[in-house]
Amino acid sequence: MVYNSTRLFAYLENLKERYFNLAEMAKLSKEEFLADKRNSDIVFANLYIALNIILDAGSHIIVKNGQKRPGTYREIIDELGKLGVIPADFAERVKGLAGYRNRMAHGYIDITPEELYQIITENLDDIKKFIGYFSRLLT
């Protein structure tokens, strides 16, 4: 697998930081989380950056492996599965994160604190899995 290890390492370290921040917020009860609007702002910012890192790192890996730059974020996830960077079944299951990234960028006004809390308490493991898959490339 070809990639710029310095660049991939930087993506990975930043992704780990975002994951840690989100995991800390996931420790709050729903009531605690919703009691302070700053909590949803913290989650929104860290989740948005984490999704962008996943997609940027994925695009980097794809292009460095001689593939054409994907035209959509969803294609990045699909191609990572085809290249074996992530398991194909995982790629199929998480390709919706590309659409969620777009929703965060363009439909942010409709995202609720309850929705953000649900994501960090039910789907945070997906980001952790990306950390593991990207880490394997550096070993």
Side-chain angles (χ1 to χ4, degrees):
M1 190 73 40
V2 179
Y3 51 85
N4 176 324
S5 61
T6 303
R7 187 73 173 158
L8 188 58
F9 181 79
Y11 282 132
L12 186 58
E13 289 303 301
N14 202 301
L15 185 58
K16 286 178 184 176
E17 181 180 341
R18 302 305 162 184
Y19 172 79
F20 175 77
N21 293 341
L22 293 167
E24 286 298 306
M25 298 305 292
K27 292 177 183 176
L28 298 174
S29 71
K30 187 173 184 178
E31 293 74 26
E32 291 170 317
F33 181 83
L34 296 175
D36 188 341
K37 184 190 177 326
R38 292 174 293 183
N39 293 335
S40 60
D41 291 343
I42 291 166
V43 168
F44 186 96
N46 280 276
L47 182 60
Y48 182 71
I49 294 168
L51 296 180
N52 277 297
I53 292 168
I54 289 167
L55 296 166
D56 289 346
S59 181
H60 170 80
I61 293 164
I62 292 163
V63 170
K64 289 293 183 181
N65 278 279
Q67 305 297 318
K68 181 181 157 204
R69 183 175 304 281
T72 67
Y73 290 129
R74 185 175 293 249
E75 290 172 0
I76 292 171
I77 302 299
D78 287 337
E79 192 62 31
L80 289 174
K82 290 176 188 171
L83 287 172
V85 175
I86 62 177
D89 61 330
F90 179 71
E92 184 62 32
R93 189 173 63 72
V94 300
K95 65 183 175 183
L97 71 81
Y100 198 78
R101 180 261 171 224
N102 287 338
R103 184 166 176 237
M104 293 184 87
H106 307 292
Y108 50 86
I109 200 161
D110 297 321
I111 295 175
T112 66
E114 291 83 3
E115 179 179 342
L116 292 170
Y117 185 76
Q118 181 178 356
I119 289 168
I120 62 171
T121 56
E122 295 179 12
N123 302 102
L124 198 53
D125 194 48
D126 292 338
I127 294 173
K128 187 175 184 179
K129 287 180 181 179
F130 271 105
I131 290 169
Y133 296 136
F134 290 157
S135 293
R136 284 192 320 201
L137 297 176
L138 292 173
T139 57

